[in-house]
Amino acid sequence: MRQKLMTATAATALLAFAGTAHADGELNIYNWGDYTSPEMIKKFEEAHNVKVTITDYDSNDTALAKVRAGGHGFDIVVPSANYVPIWVKEGLLLEARPDQMENFKNVDPRWVDVPWDPGRHYSVPWQWGVTGIGVNTKVYGADINTSAIFLDPPAELVGKINVAPEMNDVLYATIKYFGGDWCTEDKEMLRKVRDKLVEAKTKWLAMDYSVTDKLPAGDYSAVYYWNGAIMRSRLANPDIKFGYPKEGYPIFMDSVAILKDAKNVENAKLFMNFIMEPENAAMISAFAKYANGIKGSEQFMPEDMKTAPELVVPAEFEKAGEFLESCSPEVVSLYSRIWTDVQK
């Protein structure tokens, strides 16, 4: 983004930084499940003669706990925005300086000087989206642009709801439902949040990650989940519609970062540079159905993503979305206690 036409000397320096054009060896990626394009991975393997192994995780907390424990063997991780500062503060990430890589010029300016990684010294965009409501409109046909769908569900949906088992997303929506602010320490507010979630959970069917299979199949009639998965569900079943909670919904960006104790650092840097190429970023998005933050990737995107209601936020709901900042340790402790009560 900030780079102009480079001199031959500068170009050579960047290539040396990113790694050789054709490397050998391995790359071990630790990423969210069902989130990585097999086609893109195959292209990377063939281009650089690198064998890629992908290990899945199901939440930011799972990934963080695994790496904290050590002995994990991973080179790359893909944390969400509000978790990146935690990884950096704990010394778990390598300051890989992707901002000096050849393809960094392709990063959309919106995603360069981000609060969780100013100037992008540690991470590059992977995908971004929102957490919202997915409903089978054959089962329920009224307003779905509200968190009431899972917090005060209508009779038609009781016992047919799945909620993402991700603490921050669920607590954020519930706090906003009561008119509060993220990272609040208001004990009275948090008691309401806890009580509402404990009560609402009795009306849910599940808290799992099987949305792209079970929502279109009719196993679930409503979900509070991530927009890309709900788009994939709609493509399988056109009765599925997406709603933006008017009370407030979280916006997320997951970013690729290299672990401080990575064994295959040069291959990891190659991968970082590779996914900032527009055509490769588009392959990531085409698979998982999320936006990616790379300029020029749009021309390589499937046509159905350019106007998808799950990806194009209606103007009336734009202000309801908010990136989740990292809360203080004291607040995280309060939220974790609520989440423990919800999961009982």
Side-chain angles (χ1 to χ4, degrees), residues 68 89 164 271 299:
R68 277 172 171 163
K89 184 177 180 180
F271 187 77
Q299 64 180 306

Side-chain angles (χ1 to χ4, degrees), residues 3 6 9-19 99-103:
Q3 292 168 301
M6 296 180 297
T9 301
T12 301
L14 282 172
L15 285 172
F17 180 86
D99 59 310
Q100 297 179 4
M101 294 180 182
E102 182 181 9
N103 285 333

Side-chain angles (χ1 to χ4, degrees), residues 87-119:
W87 289 79
V88 172
K89 184 177 180 180
E90 295 190 15
L92 299 173
L93 299 183
L94 178 71
E95 190 173 5
R97 295 308 301 264
D99 59 310
Q100 297 179 4
M101 294 180 182
E102 182 181 9
N103 285 333
F104 190 76
K105 62 184 181 290
N106 298 320
V107 177
D108 189 307
R110 174 185 180 186
W111 303 114
V112 172
D113 207 22
V114 290
W116 60 89
D117 184 10

